[in-house]
Structure formats: C-alpha cells, structure tokens
Amino acid sequence: MKQILVIGLGRFGRHLCQKLGELGHQIMAVDKDEERVEACMHVVTNALVGDATRQDFLQSLGVDNYDLCIVCIGDSFQDSLETTALLKDFGAKKVIARASRDVHARFLLRNGADEVVYPEKQVAEWTAMRYSSDFLTDYFSMGDGYAVVEVKAPGSWVGKTIAELDLRKRAGINILAAKSGGRIEMAIRPDTVITGEERLLVLGRDAQITRLLEKG
C-alpha cells in the first residue's frame, strides 16, 4: 500500500483515484474546484480544496511524506508546470505528470517530473492497434515501438507447435504465455501446441506483430 497525492480531479484524475482506491492505496486528492473534490470523497482517503500553485498550500500538504505525487491537471498547462516544479522543490520523492502534447511532456520532464503520462496519445495507440486487427484483443505499449499484445491465434497457427511456427526467427516475436479458461499458462515450450481456444500474450514490435497477424 502506498501513500499517494493526486492533484487535479478532472475526468482523468477521478478515474485514477477510483482505481488507486480499488487497489488499496491511501489517497489524498486535491483540486481547487469544490464540486470536483466532493465528487471524489467516496473513493479517496482524504480530499482538500486548494490551489496547488500556491506555495503555502502545497507545502502544508507535506509532499515529502507521499510515496508518489501525480499531477493530473489538464485544463491549464501553466498550473501543471508550476505544481510539478513546486512538488520537487518541496522534496517529493516521485512526481508523475499528465501531458496532453509532446511539447508539454518535454517541459514537464525538464521541470521536475520523473515521468510523464500522455492519456490521449496512449488511448489513441491502444485503439488503433486494438481495432485495426481482427486478431488482437488487448495491447500494452512498452515504449520504443515494442508492445505486449493479447491475440487470438490465426487459423494458420492452429495445430502447430511453437517450434513449427518459429515466430522468433521469422519476425522477432516471442510468445510469453497463453490464457485459457481464466487461467494463464506461463510454461510455453517448443512443443506447446496452439489449439485456437487460447489467447496468446505476445511481445514484439508493433509493426511486426501487425504484419504477422495480417499474413496469418
């Protein structure tokens, strides 16, 4: 369980707080809009109305006591940048900041953010990969063009072993696991046979995975 400070309670911030709460973390939620704060009260540990760009307010939160600080401000880049910088000035251990543009991400990283999340871009990538393929059922970007994807086996794979498919040599792709009947099988061997009933977890480059699935 972690102590987490979430600043900015728009749609992204609210969804984030809800998920963090479900995962059992202790959350302090902050926004300068009272209605937004009230809307999150039932999913967080504590919540405060306040302006995170004010040094006195932010310092009063004791930001150095949190394991993680997440800046979710999406309606004012200036506020997001100032808050991110102040968090680091006051000793925040780790700061994650939301970006909505590439240039914002660069400025945030230069001004105190340890990492940047880019929800719109990440969701767009997921949607493009997920719905442009008849076989891909889930997608997780690893960065630098690599991804772990969940796929249905094309018909040409069914009945063949991992060794016969030889995906690593053919396309630089690795089958990491197979999901079937709610269970995940990690022990993928060269003689494992693809049945067509399972979902395969595959690691590789986006373009290579897409081309391979299209060819079947």
Side-chain angles (χ1 to χ4, degrees):
M1 180 182 69
K2 291 186 176 182
Q3 304 289 327
I4 301 174
L5 173 62
V6 176
I7 299 174
L9 301 175
R11 287 188 296 271
F12 177 67
R14 289 198 303 271
H15 287 304
L16 179 65
C17 285
Q18 183 170 348
K19 187 60 181 178
L20 289 171
E22 291 172 359
L23 293 171
H25 297 296
Q26 299 289 311
I27 310 156
M28 167 64 83
V30 172
D31 197 287
K32 55 186 176 182
D33 186 306
E34 186 174 353
E35 289 186 2
R36 288 182 174 183
V37 171
E38 290 179 354
C40 281
M41 290 292 290
H42 67 291
V43 296
V44 300
T45 312
N46 291 294
L48 286 175
V49 178
D51 184 352
T53 65
R54 284 180 47 194
Q55 295 189 34
D56 56 343
F57 173 74
L58 198 63
Q59 194 166 22
S60 73
L61 297 176
V63 298
D64 56 328
N65 294 317
Y66 292 94
D67 300 298
L68 178 63
C69 298
I70 308 177
V71 181
C72 302
I73 300 170
D75 51 4
S76 170
F77 176 63
Q78 183 65 33
D79 286 357
S80 176
L81 191 62
E82 289 182 19
T83 300
T84 298
L86 286 172
L87 284 168
K88 273 302 181 181
D89 288 345
F90 294 141
K93 297 181 179 73
K94 187 171 185 178
V95 179
I96 309 297
R98 175 192 178 181
S100 56
R101 297 170 58 188
D102 291 338
V103 66
H104 291 175
R106 291 196 294 272
F107 274 106
L108 288 164
L109 289 168
R110 290 174 186 170
N111 287 273
D114 295 293
E115 294 181 35
V116 168
V117 292
Y118 199 154
E120 291 85 358
K121 183 177 182 179
Q122 289 160 345
V123 170
E125 289 176 353
W126 184 91
T127 302
M129 289 292 293
R130 168 65 181 85
Y131 293 105
S132 64
S133 170
D134 293 332
F135 298 100
L136 196 148
T137 57
D138 206 352
Y139 168 85
F140 178 75
S141 174
M142 302 293 289
D144 295 326
Y146 283 91
V148 173
V149 301
E150 180 181 293
V151 302
K152 298 181 290 187
S156 61
W157 294 13
V158 177
K160 293 183 179 179
T161 65
I162 299 298
E164 289 172 332
L165 290 172
D166 201 12
L167 299 179
R168 184 179 299 176
K169 184 176 181 180
R170 286 172 55 199
I173 289 171
N174 293 290
I175 296 179
L176 305 177
K179 293 173 63 177
S180 181
R183 300 181 61 184
I184 297 180
E185 177 56 64
M186 301 294 293
I188 301 297
R189 304 182 304 274
D191 62 350
T192 297
V193 177
I194 304 299
T195 67
E197 300 297 322
E198 70 275 80
R199 295 287 187 271
L200 303 172
L201 298 182
V202 176
L203 169 66
R205 286 193 174 276
D206 292 348
Q208 291 171 319
I209 293 170
T210 300
R211 283 197 297 268
L212 186 65
L213 293 174
E214 287 174 351
K215 292 178 181 177

